[in-house]
């Protein structure tokens, strides 16, 4: 699903990424680790086509992202689902209404927002709500939900467009240890059934080593280790930079 080749990116004199190479296969769960400011979010934005590398090749689903025209890039983004640290739900609307709005956008029926939209895509929306396990919350406003349930709504929204790839930027931030594990277990169950690839960033090592099948470790813009969780756990550089002390080495913002 993703193939990055020799990705380099600078912002002024700051080298953010320097020769990064890795792949994500369809149906694979990959964790992207690294100290703060080491280029993880920049990589996610490059995969999405929001930022272009100074050099190197970004391919998603076999397409060179840097060569896509606007309409082609828009079509590619329809194949990607997103779950970010800070969600974008409408607090005053119910769980069902939030999913319906995402459905209207996916089906290019945004003009229906100005009409009676309450009876559109109800069955499809409820199916997603059941998948993430909050059907008993469907008629509650998102603004009154527990944080863990909000993350489930965000996951449902990310699945509206039936993605082939799911990008998750610190999806469990702000959650308790038990909630983090539950959310990732739910996510993996859903994506395995639909053969969706996942690339996620995360600071909780228990979440990473319990759920990732492959780990990518960046430091100061360079790829310093990658492999299975056990291979990365035993890697000397990974131990020194990120794992040994249990604390990330800060670099930038």
């Amino acid at each position: 699903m993703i193939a990055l080749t020799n990705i380099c990116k600078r912002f002024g004199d700051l080298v953010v990424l320097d020769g990064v190479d890795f792949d994500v296969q369809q149906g694979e769960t990959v964790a992207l680790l690294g100290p703060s400011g080491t280029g993880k979010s920049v990589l996610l934005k490059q995969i999405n086509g929001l930022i272009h590398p100074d050099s190197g090749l970004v391919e998603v689903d076999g397409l060179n992202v840097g060569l896509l025209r606007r309409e082609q890039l828009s079509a590619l983004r329809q194949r990607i689902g997103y779950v970010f640290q800070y969600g974008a739900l409408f607090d005053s609307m119910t769980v069902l209404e939030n999913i319906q709005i995402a459905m209207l956008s996916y089906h290019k029926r945004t003009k229906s927002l100005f009409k009676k939209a309450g009876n559109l895509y109800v069955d499809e929306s409820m199916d997603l709500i059941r998948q993430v396990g909050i059907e008993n919350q469907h008629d509650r406003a998102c603004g009154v939900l527990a944080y863990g349930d909000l993350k489930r709504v965000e996951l449902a929204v990310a699945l509206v467009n039936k993605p082939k790839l799911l990008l998750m930027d610190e999806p469990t931030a702000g959650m308790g240890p038990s909630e983090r594990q539950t959310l990732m277990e739910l996510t993996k169950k859903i994506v395995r059934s639909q053969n969706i690839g996942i690339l996620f960033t995360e600071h909780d090592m228990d979440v990473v080593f319990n759920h990732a099948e492959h780990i990518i470790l960046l430091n100061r813009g360079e790829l310093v280790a990658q492999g299975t969780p056990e291979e990365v756990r035993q890697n000397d550089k990974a131990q020194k930079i990120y794992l040994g002390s249990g604390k990330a080495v800060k670099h930038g913002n």
Side-chain angles (χ1 to χ4, degrees):
M1 277 305 301
I2 301 172
L4 303 182
T5 306
N6 196 30
I7 300 300
C8 298
K9 184 64 180 179
R10 302 175 68 101
F11 292 113
D13 294 331
L14 177 64
V15 178
V16 180
L17 297 168
D18 188 8
V20 175
D21 299 85
F22 68 83
D23 298 335
V24 177
Q25 304 300 319
Q26 189 166 356
E28 184 180 30
T29 300
V30 178
L32 181 62
L33 304 183
S36 297
T38 200
K40 303 185 297 296
S41 294
V42 172
L43 271 178
L44 293 183
K45 290 177 180 178
Q46 289 179 347
I47 292 167
N48 191 28
L50 294 174
I51 296 176
H52 294 298
D54 296 327
S55 61
L57 180 63
V58 179
E59 293 179 288
V60 180
D61 201 16
L63 300 174
N64 183 341
V65 174
L67 297 180
L68 297 181
R69 298 188 300 273
R70 181 178 299 178
E71 63 273 16
Q72 293 173 315
L73 186 58
S74 178
L76 177 63
R77 288 172 178 162
Q78 288 291 318
R79 306 177 213 173
I80 303 174
Y82 307 93
V83 178
F84 294 117
Q85 181 176 357
Y86 304 105
L89 300 175
F90 297 96
D91 288 348
S92 63
M93 294 185 176
T94 67
V95 171
L96 176 59
E97 289 168 341
N98 269 275
I99 308 300
Q100 285 178 286
I101 287 176
M103 283 281 183
L104 290 168
S105 177
Y106 172 62
H107 290 286
K108 297 180 172 57
R109 295 189 62 177
T110 52
K111 290 183 179 179
S112 297
L113 291 173
F114 302 100
K115 302 176 182 178
K116 183 68 174 177
N119 60 347
L120 296 176
Y121 305 113
V122 173
D123 291 341
E124 297 94 328
S125 297
M126 284 301 302
D127 182 58
L128 283 172
I129 291 170
R130 280 188 287 269
Q131 284 187 48
V132 299
I134 52 172
E135 58 268 29
N136 61 332
Q137 307 266 30
H138 77 278
D139 57 350
R140 298 189 70 199
C142 284
V144 301
L145 294 182
Y147 191 71
D149 289 334
L150 278 176
K151 303 304 289 189
R152 290 172 183 250
V153 180
E154 291 170 16
L155 176 59
V157 169
L159 295 171
V160 161
N161 59 339
K162 301 176 182 178
K164 298 175 68 176
L165 172 68
L166 193 59
L167 299 180
M168 308 177 77
D169 194 2
E170 298 191 32
T172 70
M175 303 177 72
S178 178
E179 286 182 315
R180 294 173 184 174
Q181 298 295 337
T182 299
L183 179 68
M184 289 307 297
E185 287 168 5
L186 172 66
T187 302
K188 285 196 68 174
K189 178 182 178 181
I190 292 172
V191 301
R192 279 176 175 170
S193 68
Q194 301 179 25
N195 198 30
I196 301 171
I198 302 177
L199 178 63
F200 73 102
T201 68
E202 181 59 63
H203 287 294
D204 186 314
M205 292 299 98
D206 287 336
V207 168
V208 170
F209 284 95
N210 286 340
H211 299 288
E213 298 162 355
H214 195 84
I215 295 174
I216 308 292
L217 176 60
L218 301 178
N219 187 52
R220 300 182 184 273
E222 297 182 352
L223 194 157
V224 295
Q226 67 172 313
T228 66
E230 188 57 32
E231 288 170 340
V232 172
R233 194 193 302 270
Q234 299 300 323
N235 185 283
D236 290 340
K237 289 184 177 180
Q239 286 283 344
K240 181 179 180 181
I241 294 168
Y242 203 73
L243 303 178
S245 66
K247 296 180 180 180
V249 178
K250 297 290 184 182
H251 176 65
N253 295 314

